[in-house]
């Protein structure tokens, strides 16, 4: 049954069938091939996969991110980042990374971060003389921080799938996210100095204070969300609901950039995005259930342990495997399918489940910036009006930096679980 499942899925991938449909159809064919199980089970298991209270956070965070995009929050965060770092070599490119770090602490989505900021920053960089390949690549790679710096939709999925505290995962994502962010800033600085890219005018102290005042409510949002979670005031799911309420009040009543007539468009856009993710989750959950029935987790565990029982070798193999998977599969589906297969082996080898979750998410975030299916590359290349192969060339310096930071996060567990252990 496992062989039929994998063969059918790969054939459908090769035919460019959407990932969620490919996974669902492959699962249906495998269950039909085995026989003896009513096909109504397909529907029941698919529904069970999304019948989870923590997963309710996903539509709320998506809606909150859309409200913030329309509500002018991204514009104010860009102005704040520009006030602090715009005068450096490659100032606007550094602003791109810094703003992505701010926005990631609000949106929870890589694609949302890339689209919301890229629509303003990529054309701005190109107008100021930046190479379009560099501008698009910088926004694409900065966008991956959207799933590493909490709140993060992939972290919610991993927490639900692996029965790991979502709050612990959120806390564990801070240091890796900041580490990657500063590594990207350093890379941008070096490249910009080499190519003598333009600097923005240095802002006066008064202008910096003004930018901070204008963005204060935007900066307060992650403080309320994450502070409420870690303070025990509300759960991550409830925090997502609070985020929607806060974004609505700020965008409609305070900044007044969201018109009531735009609410239908905002809700529709959020609903479509949510439905897409939930379809993937339900299909991937069904896929995982069939894999478990076919004893695939046990076979995977035996495969890795037969190669080596050394945790270092295991993590190196997992990193290589996940990088390849991230190039061809959607992140959320990859987490739901692979976490139940790989986590038991990791825990058997003494690897902390929270640390392993961060390793998975950082690896798969890299896949968002790698061809052929890197969603951030597609978004950024469309905005920059360049081909996929061109933006991929612009990504080359960043790949080396991301691999170095990945190795640090993998083999220095304290970078992930240090904060978690400190506040326990």
């Amino acid at each position: 049954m496992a062989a039929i499942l994998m063969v059918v899925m790969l054939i459908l991938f090769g035919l460019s069938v959407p990932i969620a449909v490919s996974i669902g159809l492959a699962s249906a064919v495998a269950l039909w091939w085995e026989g003896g199980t009513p096909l109504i089970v397909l529907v029941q298991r698919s529904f069970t996969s999304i019948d989870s209270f923590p997963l309710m956070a996903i539509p709320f965070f998506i809606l909150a991110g859309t409200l913030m995009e329309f509500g002018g929050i991204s514009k104010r965060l860009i102005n704040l980042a520009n006030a602090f770092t715009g005068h450096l070599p490659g100032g606007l490119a550094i602003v791109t990374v810094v703003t992505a770090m701010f926005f990631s602490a609000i949106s929870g989505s890589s694609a949302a971060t890339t689209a919301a900021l890229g629509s303003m920053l990529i054309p701005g960089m190109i107008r100021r003389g930046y190479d379009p390949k560099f501008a698009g690549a910088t926004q694409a790679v900065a966008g991956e921080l959207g799933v590493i710096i909490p709140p993060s939709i992939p972290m919610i999925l991993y927490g639900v799938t692996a029965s790991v505290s979502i709050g612990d995962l959120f806390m564990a994502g801070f240091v890796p996210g900041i580490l990657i962010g500063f590594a990207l800033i350093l890379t941008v600085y070096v490249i910009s100095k080499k190519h003598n890219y333009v600097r923005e005018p240095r802002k006066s102290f008064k202008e910096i204070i003004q930018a901070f005042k204008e963005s204060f409510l935007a900066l307060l949002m992650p403080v309320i969300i994450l502070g409420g979670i870690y303070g025990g005031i509300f759960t991550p799911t409830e925090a997502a609901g609070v985020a929607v309420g806060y974004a609505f009040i700020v965008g409609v009543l305070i900044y007044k950039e969201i018109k009531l007539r735009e609410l239908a468009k905002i809700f529709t856009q959020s609903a479509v995005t949510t439905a897409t993710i939930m379809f993937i989750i339900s299909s991937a959950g069904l896929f995982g259930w069939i894999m478990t029935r076919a004893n695939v987790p046990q076979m995977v565990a035996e495969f890795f342990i037969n190669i080596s029982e050394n945790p270092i070798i295991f993590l190196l193999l997992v990193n290589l495997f996940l990088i390849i998977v991230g190039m061809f599969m959607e992140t959320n589906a990859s987490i739901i399918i692979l976490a139940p297969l790989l986590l038991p082996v990791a825990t058997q080898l003494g690897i902390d489940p929270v640390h392993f979750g961060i390793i998975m998410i950082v690896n798969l975030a890299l896949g968002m910036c790698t061809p052929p299916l890197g969603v951030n590359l597609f978004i950024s290349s469309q905005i920059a009006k360049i081909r996929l192969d061109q933006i991929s060339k612009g990504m080359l310096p960043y790949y080396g930096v991301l691999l170095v930071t990945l190795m640090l996060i993998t083999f220095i567990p304290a970078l992930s679980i240090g904060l978690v252990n400190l506040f326990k």
Side-chain angles (χ1 to χ4, degrees):
M1 183 165 65
I4 292 294
L5 184 67
M6 296 303 298
V7 168
V8 174
M9 185 178 69
L10 291 174
I11 290 173
L12 292 171
F13 282 171
L15 295 173
S16 298
V17 177
I19 288 176
V21 178
S22 298
I23 295 171
L25 281 177
S27 302
V29 170
L31 201 63
W32 170 80
W33 185 274
E34 182 201 31
T37 303
L39 292 183
I40 188 65
V41 172
L42 290 169
V43 180
Q44 294 171 341
R45 297 303 309 186
S46 297
F47 178 77
T48 301
S49 301
I50 57 175
D51 184 20
S52 169
F53 179 72
L55 288 181
M56 288 179 62
I58 292 175
F60 282 119
F61 275 128
I62 289 172
L63 178 56
T66 309
L67 285 167
M68 287 180 287
E69 180 184 344
F70 280 80
I73 287 179
S74 54
K75 178 175 65 178
R76 287 167 173 80
L77 292 175
I78 289 171
N79 292 339
L80 178 64
N82 188 47
F84 280 104
T85 64
H87 63 280
L88 298 172
L92 199 56
I94 293 177
V95 167
T96 300
V97 179
V98 174
T99 309
M101 294 173 72
F102 286 145
F103 199 82
S104 297
I106 300 172
S107 73
S109 166
S110 173
T113 301
T114 304
L117 302 181
S119 59
M120 290 178 278
L121 287 167
I122 293 175
M125 282 189 277
I126 294 172
R127 281 195 301 269
R128 286 165 175 78
Y130 290 80
D131 185 334
K133 297 191 294 292
F134 173 74
T138 301
Q139 183 60 76
V141 74
E144 76 159 29
L145 295 171
V147 299
I148 299 173
I149 296 177
S152 161
I153 290 172
M155 287 182 187
I156 295 170
L157 292 178
Y158 178 85
V160 172
T161 305
S163 300
V164 175
S165 166
I166 296 172
D168 286 352
L169 287 165
F170 280 4
M171 189 174 291
F174 274 114
V175 175
I178 292 171
L179 172 66
I180 294 172
F182 277 105
L184 294 178
I185 290 171
L186 180 60
T187 307
V188 167
Y189 180 87
V190 172
I191 294 173
S192 299
K193 201 156 189 179
K194 177 182 177 182
H195 293 278
N196 199 29
Y197 286 136
V198 67
R199 305 184 189 202
E200 302 300 304
R202 183 185 288 272
K203 302 295 183 182
S204 66
F205 180 72
K206 183 178 180 180
E207 288 174 315
I208 293 174
I209 295 299
Q210 181 62 28
F212 180 77
K213 286 181 179 178
E214 291 178 355
S215 61
F216 178 74
L217 292 176
L219 294 173
L220 192 60
M221 187 171 181
V223 174
I224 293 173
I225 296 170
L226 299 173
I229 294 172
Y230 302 135
I233 300 172
F234 37 67
T235 67
T237 304
E238 293 164 345
V242 171
V244 170
Y246 185 88
F248 182 86
I249 291 170
V250 171
V252 176
L253 301 179
I254 300 177
Y255 290 163
K256 297 181 180 178
E257 295 206 16
I258 297 178
K259 309 303 178 186
L260 291 180
R261 64 177 178 272
E262 293 179 318
L263 288 177
K265 180 180 179 182
I266 291 170
F267 291 141
T268 301
Q269 182 176 317
S270 302
V272 170
T273 305
T274 299
T276 302
I277 293 176
M278 288 301 183
F279 186 19
I280 292 170
I281 293 170
S282 63
S283 296
L286 176 62
F287 183 93
W289 174 71
I290 293 177
M291 296 279 273
T292 302
R293 281 192 59 180
N295 293 321
V296 173
Q298 290 84 347
M299 289 187 279
V300 170
E302 289 175 9
F303 170 78
F304 279 109
I305 290 173
N306 286 337
I307 293 176
S308 174
E309 295 188 23
N310 187 324
I312 295 175
I313 302 297
F314 169 73
L315 288 175
L316 285 172
L317 291 172
V318 165
N319 279 328
L320 178 61
F321 175 62
L322 290 176
I323 288 172
I324 295 171
V325 168
M327 293 171 65
F328 296 96
M329 279 192 67
E330 199 272 340
T331 300
N332 297 323
S334 300
I335 289 173
I336 296 172
I337 292 171
L338 297 176
L341 301 180
L342 298 175
L343 183 59
V345 188
T347 52
Q348 187 175 338
L349 296 176
I351 300 166
D352 186 273
V354 173
H355 177 216
F356 189 72
I358 299 300
I359 292 171
M360 282 196 72
I361 290 165
V362 172
N363 267 292
L364 295 171
L366 176 58
M368 297 173 181
C369 304
T370 53
L373 299 179
V375 63
N376 290 8
L377 293 184
F378 284 109
I379 294 171
S380 291
S381 61
Q382 285 183 332
I383 296 172
K385 296 181 173 59
I386 56 177
R387 301 189 308 272
L388 186 63
D389 63 305
Q390 292 175 310
I391 196 173
S392 298
K393 289 179 182 176
M395 280 293 306
L396 291 177
Y398 292 120
Y399 288 140
V401 173
L402 292 175
L403 288 173
V404 170
T405 53
L406 173 61
M407 290 299 103
L408 291 174
I409 292 165
T410 299
F411 295 111
I412 306 178
L415 292 175
S416 300
I417 58 177
L419 278 179
V420 178
N421 293 334
L422 182 64
F423 287 97
K424 273 189 175 179

